[in-house]
PDB file of all heavy atoms in Angstrom:
ATOM      1  N   GLN E   7      -4.600  -7.710  13.841  1.00  0.00           N
ATOM      2  CA  GLN E   7      -6.050  -7.784  13.710  1.00  0.00           C
ATOM      3  C   GLN E   7      -6.520  -6.970  12.507  1.00  0.00           C
ATOM      4  O   GLN E   7      -5.856  -6.022  12.089  1.00  0.00           O
ATOM      5  CB  GLN E   7      -6.727  -7.233  14.978  1.00  0.00           C
ATOM      6  CG  GLN E   7      -6.267  -7.862  16.269  1.00  0.00           C
ATOM      7  CD  GLN E   7      -6.658  -9.323  16.389  1.00  0.00           C
ATOM      8  OE1 GLN E   7      -7.661  -9.749  15.818  1.00  0.00           O
ATOM      9  NE2 GLN E   7      -5.875 -10.101  17.118  1.00  0.00           N
ATOM     10  N   CYS E   8      -7.693  -7.340  11.972  1.00  0.00           N
ATOM     11  CA  CYS E   8      -8.338  -6.494  10.970  1.00  0.00           C
ATOM     12  C   CYS E   8      -8.687  -5.163  11.614  1.00  0.00           C
ATOM     13  O   CYS E   8      -9.180  -5.121  12.744  1.00  0.00           O
ATOM     14  CB  CYS E   8      -9.625  -7.139  10.452  1.00  0.00           C
ATOM     15  SG  CYS E   8      -9.393  -8.635   9.510  1.00  0.00           S
ATOM     16  N   GLN E   9      -8.464  -4.062  10.896  1.00  0.00           N
ATOM     17  CA  GLN E   9      -8.808  -2.754  11.431  1.00  0.00           C
ATOM     18  C   GLN E   9      -8.846  -1.716  10.325  1.00  0.00           C
ATOM     19  O   GLN E   9      -8.037  -1.747   9.402  1.00  0.00           O
ATOM     20  CB  GLN E   9      -7.811  -2.331  12.517  1.00  0.00           C
ATOM     21  CG  GLN E   9      -6.347  -2.408  12.093  1.00  0.00           C
ATOM     22  CD  GLN E   9      -5.392  -2.369  13.278  1.00  0.00           C
ATOM     23  OE1 GLN E   9      -5.654  -2.918  14.326  1.00  0.00           O
ATOM     24  NE2 GLN E   9      -4.258  -1.698  13.089  1.00  0.00           N
ATOM     25  N   VAL E  10      -9.848  -0.824  10.410  1.00  0.00           N
ATOM     26  CA  VAL E  10      -9.871   0.339   9.534  1.00  0.00           C
ATOM     27  C   VAL E  10      -8.889   1.345  10.110  1.00  0.00           C
ATOM     28  O   VAL E  10      -8.832   1.558  11.325  1.00  0.00           O
ATOM     29  CB  VAL E  10     -11.284   0.952   9.449  1.00  0.00           C
ATOM     30  CG1 VAL E  10     -11.277   2.213   8.593  1.00  0.00           C
ATOM     31  CG2 VAL E  10     -12.256  -0.059   8.858  1.00  0.00           C
ATOM     32  N   VAL E  11      -8.098   1.969   9.241  1.00  0.00           N
ATOM     33  CA  VAL E  11      -6.992   2.795   9.720  1.00  0.00           C
ATOM     34  C   VAL E  11      -6.979   4.156   9.027  1.00  0.00           C
ATOM     35  O   VAL E  11      -7.450   4.314   7.892  1.00  0.00           O
ATOM     36  CB  VAL E  11      -5.634   2.096   9.494  1.00  0.00           C
ATOM     37  CG1 VAL E  11      -5.553   0.805  10.302  1.00  0.00           C
ATOM     38  CG2 VAL E  11      -5.392   1.803   8.017  1.00  0.00           C
ATOM     39  N   GLN E  12      -6.430   5.118   9.750  1.00  0.00           N
ATOM     40  CA  GLN E  12      -6.164   6.438   9.188  1.00  0.00           C
ATOM     41  C   GLN E  12      -4.912   6.348   8.316  1.00  0.00           C
ATOM     42  O   GLN E  12      -3.941   5.685   8.683  1.00  0.00           O
ATOM     43  CB  GLN E  12      -5.961   7.454  10.315  1.00  0.00           C
ATOM     44  CG  GLN E  12      -5.898   8.896   9.851  1.00  0.00           C
ATOM     45  CD  GLN E  12      -7.260   9.384   9.373  1.00  0.00           C
ATOM     46  OE1 GLN E  12      -8.270   9.206  10.026  1.00  0.00           O
ATOM     47  NE2 GLN E  12      -7.279  10.007   8.209  1.00  0.00           N
ATOM     48  N   ILE E  13      -4.943   7.002   7.164  1.00  0.00           N
ATOM     49  CA  ILE E  13      -3.779   7.039   6.280  1.00  0.00           C
ATOM     50  C   ILE E  13      -3.181   8.439   6.377  1.00  0.00           C
ATOM     51  O   ILE E  13      -3.797   9.422   5.963  1.00  0.00           O
ATOM     52  CB  ILE E  13      -4.163   6.714   4.823  1.00  0.00           C
ATOM     53  CG1 ILE E  13      -4.827   5.340   4.729  1.00  0.00           C
ATOM     54  CG2 ILE E  13      -2.942   6.790   3.911  1.00  0.00           C
ATOM     55  CD1 ILE E  13      -3.929   4.171   5.052  1.00  0.00           C
ATOM     56  N   SER E  14      -1.988   8.532   6.928  1.00  0.00           N
ATOM     57  CA  SER E  14      -1.348   9.834   7.088  1.00  0.00           C
ATOM     58  C   SER E  14      -0.912  10.374   5.716  1.00  0.00           C
ATOM     59  O   SER E  14      -0.747   9.606   4.753  1.00  0.00           O
ATOM     60  CB  SER E  14      -0.121   9.712   7.987  1.00  0.00           C
ATOM     61  OG  SER E  14       0.900   8.969   7.335  1.00  0.00           O
ATOM     62  N   PRO E  15      -0.729  11.688   5.601  1.00  0.00           N
ATOM     63  CA  PRO E  15      -0.230  12.239   4.330  1.00  0.00           C
ATOM     64  C   PRO E  15       1.086  11.593   3.892  1.00  0.00           C
ATOM     65  O   PRO E  15       1.291  11.324   2.706  1.00  0.00           O
ATOM     66  CB  PRO E  15      -0.054  13.726   4.647  1.00  0.00           C
ATOM     67  CG  PRO E  15      -1.062  14.009   5.712  1.00  0.00           C
ATOM     68  CD  PRO E  15      -1.090  12.757   6.560  1.00  0.00           C
ATOM     69  N   LEU E  16       1.986  11.318   4.852  1.00  0.00           N
ATOM     70  CA  LEU E  16       3.252  10.679   4.504  1.00  0.00           C
ATOM     71  C   LEU E  16       3.023   9.288   3.935  1.00  0.00           C
ATOM     72  O   LEU E  16       3.577   8.933   2.882  1.00  0.00           O
ATOM     73  CB  LEU E  16       4.152  10.597   5.738  1.00  0.00           C
ATOM     74  CG  LEU E  16       5.450   9.790   5.561  1.00  0.00           C
ATOM     75  CD1 LEU E  16       6.304  10.360   4.440  1.00  0.00           C
ATOM     76  CD2 LEU E  16       6.225   9.733   6.877  1.00  0.00           C
ATOM     77  N   LEU E  17       2.188   8.485   4.622  1.00  0.00           N
ATOM     78  CA  LEU E  17       1.942   7.128   4.139  1.00  0.00           C
ATOM     79  C   LEU E  17       1.272   7.146   2.777  1.00  0.00           C
ATOM     80  O   LEU E  17       1.603   6.339   1.895  1.00  0.00           O
ATOM     81  CB  LEU E  17       1.074   6.370   5.146  1.00  0.00           C
ATOM     82  CG  LEU E  17       0.716   4.926   4.782  1.00  0.00           C
ATOM     83  CD1 LEU E  17       1.956   4.093   4.506  1.00  0.00           C
ATOM     84  CD2 LEU E  17      -0.130   4.283   5.877  1.00  0.00           C
ATOM     85  N   ARG E  18       0.326   8.079   2.585  1.00  0.00           N
ATOM     86  CA  ARG E  18      -0.353   8.169   1.287  1.00  0.00           C
ATOM     87  C   ARG E  18       0.652   8.425   0.159  1.00  0.00           C
ATOM     88  O   ARG E  18       0.602   7.777  -0.895  1.00  0.00           O
ATOM     89  CB  ARG E  18      -1.400   9.282   1.337  1.00  0.00           C
ATOM     90  CG  ARG E  18      -2.233   9.388   0.069  1.00  0.00           C
ATOM     91  CD  ARG E  18      -3.405  10.319   0.259  1.00  0.00           C
ATOM     92  NE  ARG E  18      -3.008  11.691   0.499  1.00  0.00           N
ATOM     93  CZ  ARG E  18      -3.189  12.354   1.637  1.00  0.00           C
ATOM     94  NH1 ARG E  18      -3.735  11.751   2.686  1.00  0.00           N
ATOM     95  NH2 ARG E  18      -2.803  13.611   1.768  1.00  0.00           N
ATOM     96  N   GLU E  19       1.570   9.351   0.387  1.00  0.00           N
ATOM     97  CA  GLU E  19       2.556   9.655  -0.651  1.00  0.00           C
ATOM     98  C   GLU E  19       3.522   8.489  -0.860  1.00  0.00           C
ATOM     99  O   GLU E  19       3.920   8.198  -1.995  1.00  0.00           O
ATOM    100  CB  GLU E  19       3.323  10.932  -0.289  1.00  0.00           C
ATOM    101  CG  GLU E  19       2.464  12.186  -0.291  1.00  0.00           C
ATOM    102  CD  GLU E  19       1.719  12.392  -1.602  1.00  0.00           C
ATOM    103  OE1 GLU E  19       2.344  12.216  -2.681  1.00  0.00           O
ATOM    104  OE2 GLU E  19       0.521  12.713  -1.568  1.00  0.00           O
ATOM    105  N   LEU E  20       3.897   7.810   0.216  1.00  0.00           N
ATOM    106  CA  LEU E  20       4.779   6.649   0.077  1.00  0.00           C
ATOM    107  C   LEU E  20       4.110   5.546  -0.740  1.00  0.00           C
ATOM    108  O   LEU E  20       4.763   4.884  -1.565  1.00  0.00           O
ATOM    109  CB  LEU E  20       5.155   6.110   1.462  1.00  0.00           C
ATOM    110  CG  LEU E  20       6.140   6.948   2.273  1.00  0.00           C
ATOM    111  CD1 LEU E  20       6.229   6.426   3.704  1.00  0.00           C
ATOM    112  CD2 LEU E  20       7.527   6.950   1.620  1.00  0.00           C
ATOM    113  N   ILE E  21       2.798   5.337  -0.514  1.00  0.00           N
ATOM    114  CA  ILE E  21       2.074   4.333  -1.293  1.00  0.00           C
ATOM    115  C   ILE E  21       2.099   4.695  -2.782  1.00  0.00           C
ATOM    116  O   ILE E  21       2.358   3.848  -3.646  1.00  0.00           O
ATOM    117  CB  ILE E  21       0.629   4.197  -0.787  1.00  0.00           C
ATOM    118  CG1 ILE E  21       0.603   3.577   0.611  1.00  0.00           C
ATOM    119  CG2 ILE E  21      -0.204   3.339  -1.751  1.00  0.00           C
ATOM    120  CD1 ILE E  21      -0.764   3.610   1.283  1.00  0.00           C
ATOM    121  N   LEU E  22       1.831   5.962  -3.082  1.00  0.00           N
ATOM    122  CA  LEU E  22       1.811   6.382  -4.480  1.00  0.00           C
ATOM    123  C   LEU E  22       3.185   6.242  -5.126  1.00  0.00           C
ATOM    124  O   LEU E  22       3.307   5.796  -6.271  1.00  0.00           O
ATOM    125  CB  LEU E  22       1.314   7.831  -4.575  1.00  0.00           C
ATOM    126  CG  LEU E  22      -0.141   8.056  -4.154  1.00  0.00           C
ATOM    127  CD1 LEU E  22      -0.489   9.542  -4.226  1.00  0.00           C
ATOM    128  CD2 LEU E  22      -1.094   7.248  -5.011  1.00  0.00           C
ATOM    129  N   VAL E  23       4.237   6.602  -4.398  1.00  0.00           N
ATOM    130  CA  VAL E  23       5.591   6.473  -4.941  1.00  0.00           C
ATOM    131  C   VAL E  23       5.951   5.002  -5.130  1.00  0.00           C
ATOM    132  O   VAL E  23       6.603   4.631  -6.111  1.00  0.00           O
ATOM    133  CB  VAL E  23       6.613   7.175  -4.019  1.00  0.00           C
ATOM    134  CG1 VAL E  23       8.042   6.870  -4.470  1.00  0.00           C
ATOM    135  CG2 VAL E  23       6.389   8.679  -4.022  1.00  0.00           C
ATOM    136  N   SER E  24       5.512   4.153  -4.213  1.00  0.00           N
ATOM    137  CA  SER E  24       5.851   2.725  -4.309  1.00  0.00           C
ATOM    138  C   SER E  24       5.329   2.107  -5.604  1.00  0.00           C
ATOM    139  O   SER E  24       5.907   1.139  -6.118  1.00  0.00           O
ATOM    140  CB  SER E  24       5.310   1.958  -3.101  1.00  0.00           C
ATOM    141  OG  SER E  24       3.901   1.800  -3.174  1.00  0.00           O
ATOM    142  N   LEU E  25       4.223   2.663  -6.121  1.00  0.00           N
ATOM    143  CA  LEU E  25       3.655   2.134  -7.364  1.00  0.00           C
ATOM    144  C   LEU E  25       4.576   2.343  -8.560  1.00  0.00           C
ATOM    145  O   LEU E  25       4.416   1.680  -9.584  1.00  0.00           O
ATOM    146  CB  LEU E  25       2.299   2.795  -7.637  1.00  0.00           C
ATOM    147  CG  LEU E  25       1.165   2.401  -6.673  1.00  0.00           C
ATOM    148  CD1 LEU E  25       0.012   3.386  -6.789  1.00  0.00           C
ATOM    149  CD2 LEU E  25       0.697   0.978  -6.952  1.00  0.00           C
ATOM    150  N   THR E  26       5.529   3.256  -8.433  1.00  0.00           N
ATOM    151  CA  THR E  26       6.462   3.537  -9.539  1.00  0.00           C
ATOM    152  C   THR E  26       7.768   2.755  -9.408  1.00  0.00           C
ATOM    153  O   THR E  26       8.617   2.838 -10.287  1.00  0.00           O
ATOM    154  CB  THR E  26       6.789   5.046  -9.589  1.00  0.00           C
ATOM    155  OG1 THR E  26       7.575   5.399  -8.431  1.00  0.00           O
ATOM    156  CG2 THR E  26       5.522   5.884  -9.600  1.00  0.00           C
ATOM    157  N   ILE E  27       7.919   2.008  -8.319  1.00  0.00           N
ATOM    158  CA  ILE E  27       9.173   1.293  -8.066  1.00  0.00           C
ATOM    159  C   ILE E  27       9.070  -0.129  -8.618  1.00  0.00           C
ATOM    160  O   ILE E  27       8.126  -0.854  -8.300  1.00  0.00           O
ATOM    161  CB  ILE E  27       9.478   1.260  -6.555  1.00  0.00           C
ATOM    162  CG1 ILE E  27       9.720   2.685  -6.045  1.00  0.00           C
ATOM    163  CG2 ILE E  27      10.684   0.370  -6.257  1.00  0.00           C
ATOM    164  CD1 ILE E  27       9.943   2.773  -4.547  1.00  0.00           C
ATOM    165  N   PRO E  28      10.017  -0.540  -9.458  1.00  0.00           N
ATOM    166  CA  PRO E  28       9.948  -1.897 -10.025  1.00  0.00           C
ATOM    167  C   PRO E  28      10.163  -2.958  -8.961  1.00  0.00           C
ATOM    168  O   PRO E  28      10.828  -2.727  -7.941  1.00  0.00           O
ATOM    169  CB  PRO E  28      11.086  -1.894 -11.058  1.00  0.00           C
ATOM    170  CG  PRO E  28      12.041  -0.850 -10.571  1.00  0.00           C
ATOM    171  CD  PRO E  28      11.201   0.210  -9.926  1.00  0.00           C
ATOM    172  N   ALA E  29       9.594  -4.150  -9.198  1.00  0.00           N
ATOM    173  CA  ALA E  29       9.690  -5.240  -8.218  1.00  0.00           C
ATOM    174  C   ALA E  29      11.142  -5.640  -7.964  1.00  0.00           C
ATOM    175  O   ALA E  29      11.512  -6.001  -6.856  1.00  0.00           O
ATOM    176  CB  ALA E  29       8.879  -6.439  -8.702  1.00  0.00           C
ATOM    177  N   GLY E  30      11.985  -5.549  -8.974  1.00  0.00           N
ATOM    178  CA  GLY E  30      13.376  -5.983  -8.822  1.00  0.00           C
ATOM    179  C   GLY E  30      14.325  -4.863  -8.478  1.00  0.00           C
ATOM    180  O   GLY E  30      15.471  -4.848  -8.952  1.00  0.00           O
ATOM    181  N   TYR E  31      13.876  -3.934  -7.645  1.00  0.00           N
ATOM    182  CA  TYR E  31      14.742  -2.796  -7.309  1.00  0.00           C
ATOM    183  C   TYR E  31      15.997  -3.289  -6.580  1.00  0.00           C
ATOM    184  O   TYR E  31      15.999  -4.299  -5.887  1.00  0.00           O
ATOM    185  CB  TYR E  31      13.995  -1.772  -6.459  1.00  0.00           C
ATOM    186  CG  TYR E  31      13.466  -2.277  -5.142  1.00  0.00           C
ATOM    187  CD1 TYR E  31      14.276  -2.320  -4.011  1.00  0.00           C
ATOM    188  CD2 TYR E  31      12.150  -2.715  -5.020  1.00  0.00           C
ATOM    189  CE1 TYR E  31      13.790  -2.796  -2.805  1.00  0.00           C
ATOM    190  CE2 TYR E  31      11.663  -3.184  -3.812  1.00  0.00           C
ATOM    191  CZ  TYR E  31      12.481  -3.223  -2.706  1.00  0.00           C
ATOM    192  OH  TYR E  31      12.007  -3.696  -1.517  1.00  0.00           O
ATOM    193  N   LEU E  32      17.087  -2.520  -6.742  1.00  0.00           N
ATOM    194  CA  LEU E  32      18.372  -2.903  -6.165  1.00  0.00           C
ATOM    195  C   LEU E  32      18.443  -2.505  -4.699  1.00  0.00           C
ATOM    196  O   LEU E  32      17.913  -1.462  -4.299  1.00  0.00           O
ATOM    197  CB  LEU E  32      19.516  -2.238  -6.942  1.00  0.00           C
ATOM    198  CG  LEU E  32      19.637  -2.635  -8.414  1.00  0.00           C
ATOM    199  CD1 LEU E  32      20.731  -1.830  -9.098  1.00  0.00           C
ATOM    200  CD2 LEU E  32      19.934  -4.138  -8.526  1.00  0.00           C
ATOM    201  N   PRO E  33      19.070  -3.326  -3.876  1.00  0.00           N
ATOM    202  CA  PRO E  33      19.213  -2.977  -2.463  1.00  0.00           C
ATOM    203  C   PRO E  33      20.190  -1.816  -2.278  1.00  0.00           C
ATOM    204  O   PRO E  33      21.074  -1.586  -3.115  1.00  0.00           O
ATOM    205  CB  PRO E  33      19.760  -4.271  -1.835  1.00  0.00           C
ATOM    206  CG  PRO E  33      20.446  -4.982  -2.960  1.00  0.00           C
ATOM    207  CD  PRO E  33      19.675  -4.637  -4.196  1.00  0.00           C
ATOM    208  N   GLY E  34      19.987  -1.089  -1.185  1.00  0.00           N
ATOM    209  CA  GLY E  34      20.936  -0.043  -0.823  1.00  0.00           C
ATOM    210  C   GLY E  34      20.652   1.329  -1.384  1.00  0.00           C
ATOM    211  O   GLY E  34      21.340   2.295  -1.044  1.00  0.00           O
ATOM    212  N   GLY E  35      19.622   1.430  -2.228  1.00  0.00           N
ATOM    213  CA  GLY E  35      19.347   2.714  -2.863  1.00  0.00           C
ATOM    214  C   GLY E  35      18.070   3.361  -2.357  1.00  0.00           C
ATOM    215  O   GLY E  35      17.467   2.936  -1.374  1.00  0.00           O
ATOM    216  N   ARG E  36      17.634   4.412  -3.065  1.00  0.00           N
ATOM    217  CA  ARG E  36      16.435   5.166  -2.683  1.00  0.00           C
ATOM    218  C   ARG E  36      15.203   4.271  -2.657  1.00  0.00           C
ATOM    219  O   ARG E  36      14.372   4.377  -1.747  1.00  0.00           O
ATOM    220  CB  ARG E  36      16.219   6.307  -3.671  1.00  0.00           C
ATOM    221  CG  ARG E  36      14.887   7.052  -3.501  1.00  0.00           C
ATOM    222  CD  ARG E  36      14.758   8.162  -4.530  1.00  0.00           C
ATOM    223  NE  ARG E  36      13.478   8.857  -4.432  1.00  0.00           N
ATOM    224  CZ  ARG E  36      12.372   8.508  -5.089  1.00  0.00           C
ATOM    225  NH1 ARG E  36      12.407   7.435  -5.910  1.00  0.00           N
ATOM    226  NH2 ARG E  36      11.249   9.194  -4.957  1.00  0.00           N
ATOM    227  N   ASP E  37      15.053   3.386  -3.656  1.00  0.00           N
ATOM    228  CA  ASP E  37      13.864   2.533  -3.724  1.00  0.00           C
ATOM    229  C   ASP E  37      13.737   1.668  -2.480  1.00  0.00           C
ATOM    230  O   ASP E  37      12.651   1.541  -1.891  1.00  0.00           O
ATOM    231  CB  ASP E  37      13.912   1.648  -4.978  1.00  0.00           C
ATOM    232  CG  ASP E  37      13.776   2.452  -6.256  1.00  0.00           C
ATOM    233  OD1 ASP E  37      13.369   3.626  -6.173  1.00  0.00           O
ATOM    234  OD2 ASP E  37      14.088   1.918  -7.338  1.00  0.00           O
ATOM    235  N   GLU E  38      14.838   1.077  -2.044  1.00  0.00           N
ATOM    236  CA  GLU E  38      14.785   0.240  -0.850  1.00  0.00           C
ATOM    237  C   GLU E  38      14.465   1.072   0.390  1.00  0.00           C
ATOM    238  O   GLU E  38      13.694   0.642   1.261  1.00  0.00           O
ATOM    239  CB  GLU E  38      16.108  -0.491  -0.643  1.00  0.00           C
ATOM    240  CG  GLU E  38      16.075  -1.429   0.562  1.00  0.00           C
ATOM    241  CD  GLU E  38      17.411  -2.112   0.810  1.00  0.00           C
ATOM    242  OE1 GLU E  38      18.430  -1.389   0.943  1.00  0.00           O
ATOM    243  OE2 GLU E  38      17.433  -3.348   0.876  1.00  0.00           O
ATOM    244  N   ARG E  39      15.013   2.278   0.470  1.00  0.00           N
ATOM    245  CA  ARG E  39      14.753   3.127   1.639  1.00  0.00           C
ATOM    246  C   ARG E  39      13.276   3.525   1.702  1.00  0.00           C
ATOM    247  O   ARG E  39      12.689   3.605   2.789  1.00  0.00           O
ATOM    248  CB  ARG E  39      15.655   4.363   1.610  1.00  0.00           C
ATOM    249  CG  ARG E  39      17.119   4.047   1.890  1.00  0.00           C
ATOM    250  CD  ARG E  39      17.923   5.291   2.181  1.00  0.00           C
ATOM    251  NE  ARG E  39      18.047   6.155   1.021  1.00  0.00           N
ATOM    252  CZ  ARG E  39      18.983   6.048   0.090  1.00  0.00           C
ATOM    253  NH1 ARG E  39      19.904   5.091   0.191  1.00  0.00           N
ATOM    254  NH2 ARG E  39      19.026   6.879  -0.934  1.00  0.00           N
ATOM    255  N   ILE E  40      12.660   3.762   0.544  1.00  0.00           N
ATOM    256  CA  ILE E  40      11.225   4.077   0.515  1.00  0.00           C
ATOM    257  C   ILE E  40      10.424   2.889   1.030  1.00  0.00           C
ATOM    258  O   ILE E  40       9.504   3.037   1.853  1.00  0.00           O
ATOM    259  CB  ILE E  40      10.791   4.467  -0.912  1.00  0.00           C
ATOM    260  CG1 ILE E  40      11.326   5.857  -1.260  1.00  0.00           C
ATOM    261  CG2 ILE E  40       9.264   4.436  -1.041  1.00  0.00           C
ATOM    262  CD1 ILE E  40      11.116   6.260  -2.698  1.00  0.00           C
ATOM    263  N   MET E  41      10.758   1.690   0.576  1.00  0.00           N
ATOM    264  CA  MET E  41      10.023   0.502   1.012  1.00  0.00           C
ATOM    265  C   MET E  41      10.232   0.242   2.505  1.00  0.00           C
ATOM    266  O   MET E  41       9.299  -0.166   3.214  1.00  0.00           O
ATOM    267  CB  MET E  41      10.454  -0.719   0.198  1.00  0.00           C
ATOM    268  CG  MET E  41      10.072  -0.644  -1.280  1.00  0.00           C
ATOM    269  SD  MET E  41       8.283  -0.407  -1.521  1.00  0.00           S
ATOM    270  CE  MET E  41       8.122  -0.815  -3.266  1.00  0.00           C
ATOM    271  N   GLU E  42      11.428   0.475   3.004  1.00  0.00           N
ATOM    272  CA  GLU E  42      11.682   0.295   4.431  1.00  0.00           C
ATOM    273  C   GLU E  42      10.896   1.311   5.255  1.00  0.00           C
ATOM    274  O   GLU E  42      10.353   0.978   6.317  1.00  0.00           O
ATOM    275  CB  GLU E  42      13.189   0.425   4.714  1.00  0.00           C
ATOM    276  CG  GLU E  42      14.026  -0.734   4.203  1.00  0.00           C
ATOM    277  CD  GLU E  42      13.671  -2.033   4.902  1.00  0.00           C
ATOM    278  OE1 GLU E  42      13.583  -2.042   6.138  1.00  0.00           O
ATOM    279  OE2 GLU E  42      13.473  -3.048   4.204  1.00  0.00           O
ATOM    280  N   LEU E  43      10.817   2.551   4.769  1.00  0.00           N
ATOM    281  CA  LEU E  43      10.033   3.566   5.476  1.00  0.00           C
ATOM    282  C   LEU E  43       8.541   3.210   5.450  1.00  0.00           C
ATOM    283  O   LEU E  43       7.826   3.425   6.433  1.00  0.00           O
ATOM    284  CB  LEU E  43      10.265   4.939   4.847  1.00  0.00           C
ATOM    285  CG  LEU E  43       9.574   6.128   5.518  1.00  0.00           C
ATOM    286  CD1 LEU E  43       9.891   6.190   7.002  1.00  0.00           C
ATOM    287  CD2 LEU E  43       9.957   7.434   4.828  1.00  0.00           C
ATOM    288  N   LEU E  44       8.075   2.651   4.340  1.00  0.00           N
ATOM    289  CA  LEU E  44       6.686   2.177   4.260  1.00  0.00           C
ATOM    290  C   LEU E  44       6.407   1.159   5.365  1.00  0.00           C
ATOM    291  O   LEU E  44       5.384   1.230   6.055  1.00  0.00           O
ATOM    292  CB  LEU E  44       6.434   1.538   2.887  1.00  0.00           C
ATOM    293  CG  LEU E  44       5.571   2.279   1.889  1.00  0.00           C
ATOM    294  CD1 LEU E  44       5.474   1.484   0.588  1.00  0.00           C
ATOM    295  CD2 LEU E  44       4.189   2.575   2.440  1.00  0.00           C
ATOM    296  N   LEU E  45       7.308   0.206   5.533  1.00  0.00           N
ATOM    297  CA  LEU E  45       7.119  -0.818   6.565  1.00  0.00           C
ATOM    298  C   LEU E  45       7.090  -0.193   7.957  1.00  0.00           C
ATOM    299  O   LEU E  45       6.294  -0.597   8.812  1.00  0.00           O
ATOM    300  CB  LEU E  45       8.235  -1.860   6.488  1.00  0.00           C
ATOM    301  CG  LEU E  45       8.160  -2.828   5.300  1.00  0.00           C
ATOM    302  CD1 LEU E  45       9.433  -3.664   5.221  1.00  0.00           C
ATOM    303  CD2 LEU E  45       6.955  -3.744   5.438  1.00  0.00           C
ATOM    304  N   ASP E  46       7.930   0.810   8.185  1.00  0.00           N
ATOM    305  CA  ASP E  46       7.917   1.496   9.477  1.00  0.00           C
ATOM    306  C   ASP E  46       6.577   2.187   9.714  1.00  0.00           C
ATOM    307  O   ASP E  46       6.035   2.154  10.823  1.00  0.00           O
ATOM    308  CB  ASP E  46       9.052   2.516   9.551  1.00  0.00           C
ATOM    309  CG  ASP E  46      10.418   1.859   9.729  1.00  0.00           C
ATOM    310  OD1 ASP E  46      10.451   0.695  10.168  1.00  0.00           O
ATOM    311  OD2 ASP E  46      11.436   2.502   9.424  1.00  0.00           O
TER     312      ASP E  46
END
């Protein structure tokens, strides 16, 4: 559903870091782990 949400300090930092990760990042490394943690 649509919803206004609280952004935790962790999520805020993950969003900012994600902006520095290229779209074609390689699987199995730090970039993929950051994106997986974002989804969690």
